[in-house]
Amino acid sequence: MPSPSVLRRALARIPDRNVWIIYTAILLLGVAYGVSIAVLAIHLKANGIPELAMGGLAAAFAVGIVTFSIPAGWIVQRFGAKATLLVALAGYATCVSAFPFLTTTTGLSIARFFDGAFSVGVWVAAETALLSRSNATNKAFVMSLYAMSLGLGYVFGPLLALGVVAGAGTGGSFVAAGVLALVAAVVILLRLDGGRSSQAAGGADHHDEDDGAERTPARRVLWRIKTSCLATFSYGYFQASVVLYLPLFLIQSKGVPKERTILITAFFALGMLLSTTLVSRLGDRHGHLLVMRSLGAVGGVMVASFVLLSSFAAMCAAVFVAGATLAAISPVSLALQGVVVARRDLGRANAFYNAAYAAGMLLGPPLSSVFFTKLGGAEMLLHLAAIWATFVAFTLVFANDDPKRAARKGAAAQVSAVAE
């Protein structure tokens, strides 16, 4: 947990109370996610859902995100962050609570579709509000605390799931997740400032001067954030795959009892939680894309090495390091797009960003299921490592997408010209 001194420094850097209210709601939602995701594979397996069908359910979740990610940007711009958050949180609570009462693949797929649709509404609204309330020098810090709020939820959620499963079975965990999401909605309703604008005072940065200008064409916005989009695509592909198939790999190939696999999610989130603030400072100071590339390289190697591990303790340590690197990419990639697009384009940029995340989630599970069922769990993990290697190569090709690198090269060129 963060120390009191760390919290005081964070409060000093982020005086806007609305930012902290959003963090609170996201923390509650993160616990809800952690409670439900920790038991998802076990619940589906216990109810006779085969591995290939699990990939289909994950795809339904991703299709919901893809379908509503772009409209979510328009909805936030039209109705504001508060209204969007309220409706999306209430919708997610309804979907996740209904999940244990559905017994057919069709019913489960519909629930997962709307689960994804309402989830992306929360993400786009929260991310747009947070980026617009931060300035160019602390965007990664603000987004790191957003990621930490989710991360804390993913740490506490699986621990809470252990108790809920013991008392109410896996189905009770989904109902508990719904209650937590409703509490988050109440927090937003009672405490978050209303109004259609998500751009509070105190979030001024270098984009403010062009707020009244014509909007940037969508294709140009997308090109500017391509490295952030590939980062979140890779993470969505990876996350959606390992949530479903890593527990099964541990059970079938490593002999880990299924109850212990619930703790894997907590170790992954704990790694992200402990590293994300440091990583965000490095990104704000030295360049977001440079940090993203380093994290992707270390995390990809860790995923590949996981195949060779035999003890559960070593597996937990590997998952911890993977969380500290791969999961920590998300706030830095959000911060990167926050400094390369104008404030007026943030809603659309976040919509594209979440669409890329959903595309990864859509492709990851079905392709990973083919690797898992046809080749094996080890091959499935190695192909995930290859995804991260591709991302690292992409960031090398487009290294100048990072404004700090471009600025350093410009300064070096000026010095060279003066010397000549």
Side-chain angles (χ1 to χ4, degrees):
M1 292 291 292
S3 67
S5 61
V6 171
L7 291 176
R8 282 195 296 271
R9 288 196 297 270
L11 285 167
R13 290 187 66 179
I14 308 174
D16 187 348
R17 57 178 288 276
N18 290 284
V19 171
W20 295 97
I21 290 166
I22 293 172
Y23 288 158
T24 301
I26 294 301
L27 170 61
L28 290 167
L29 181 65
V31 177
Y33 284 157
V35 169
S36 59
I37 289 175
V39 302
L40 179 60
I42 297 173
H43 178 81
L44 294 175
K45 189 73 172 179
N47 285 273
I49 305 298
E51 284 84 357
L52 285 174
M54 291 184 193
L57 291 177
F61 177 78
V63 169
I65 300 175
V66 169
T67 302
F68 284 91
S69 58
I70 304 301
W74 177 86
I75 290 170
V76 172
Q77 183 178 6
R78 176 67 178 82
F79 298 102
K82 181 173 183 176
T84 306
L85 283 169
L86 277 174
V87 173
L89 286 168
Y92 169 78
T94 301
C95 292
V96 74
S97 298
F99 199 76
F101 303 103
L102 303 172
T103 56
T104 66
T105 303
T106 300
L108 292 169
S109 297
I110 292 172
R112 289 293 282 166
F113 173 85
F114 284 103
D115 186 336
F118 288 119
S119 289
V120 77
V122 175
W123 304 337
V124 172
E127 291 160 9
T128 301
L130 292 173
L131 284 173
S132 66
R133 292 175 182 274
S134 59
N135 57 50
T137 61
N138 76 340
K139 286 189 185 295
F141 180 73
V142 169
M143 300 315 297
S144 74
L145 295 184
Y146 167 74
M148 286 179 67
S149 299
L150 273 176
L152 279 170
Y154 280 111
V155 171
F156 294 139
L159 300 178
L160 177 60
L162 290 173
V164 175
V165 169
T170 55
S173 294
F174 296 101
V175 176
V179 172
L180 288 164
L182 281 178
V183 174
V186 171
V187 170
I188 294 296
L189 175 64
L190 298 180
R191 301 296 297 166
L192 188 67
D193 287 348
R196 288 169 52 183
S197 175
S198 64
Q199 298 171 9
D205 64 17
H206 61 284
H207 297 309
D208 281 351
E209 63 223 26
D210 56 18
D211 276 352
E214 231 179 272
R215 289 205 310 172
T216 308
R219 65 182 180 277
R220 188 175 301 172
V221 173
L222 183 57
W223 180 252
R224 286 177 180 172
I225 64 171
K226 59 184 177 296
T227 45
S228 289
C229 285
L230 183 58
T232 198
F233 171 86
S234 302
Y235 185 64
Y237 190 109
F238 168 79
Q239 182 188 47
S241 298
V242 297
V243 162
L244 286 174
Y245 297 113
L246 182 57
L248 300 179
F249 172 70
L250 294 178
I251 294 169
Q252 296 175 12
S253 300
K254 301 293 186 177
V256 177
K258 66 179 183 180
E259 295 80 9
R260 299 183 75 183
T261 64
I262 294 176
L263 297 174
I264 291 295
T265 303
F267 277 100
F268 186 84
L270 184 61
M272 183 275 290
L273 181 65
L274 295 179
S275 72
T276 187
T277 302
L278 172 61
V279 165
S280 71
R281 289 203 203 99
L282 293 173
D284 282 335
R285 183 176 303 173
H286 300 292
H288 300 114
L289 194 55
L290 172 63
V291 170
M292 289 160 59
R293 178 164 56 251
S294 301
L295 294 174
V298 174
V301 171
M302 188 56 56
V303 172
S305 67
F306 197 88
V307 175
L308 304 176
L309 302 176
S310 57
S311 74
F312 184 69
M315 295 173 198
C316 290
V319 168
F320 175 87
V321 175
T325 53
L326 300 180
I329 289 176
S330 292
V332 183
S333 62
L334 276 167
L336 175 61
Q337 73 179 38
V339 299
V340 298
V341 301
R343 181 190 296 278
R344 65 181 182 275
D345 297 320
L346 283 175
R348 287 185 301 158
N350 290 328
F352 287 137
Y353 179 89
N354 282 287
Y357 176 68
M361 296 186 71
L362 183 61
L363 292 175
L367 292 179
S368 294
S369 71
V370 173
F371 277 92
F372 188 88
T373 57
K374 303 298 183 182
L375 298 176
E379 288 76 7
M380 185 272 295
L381 288 171
L382 290 175
H383 109 278
L384 293 178
I387 294 293
W388 287 111
T390 302
F391 165 72
V392 170
F394 189 87
T395 63
L396 287 169
V397 173
F398 295 102
N400 285 334
D401 278 12
D402 194 324
K404 285 190 178 292
R405 174 185 169 89
R408 285 195 296 267
K409 288 184 67 176
Q414 288 181 355
V415 170
S416 177
V418 171
E420 292 174 358

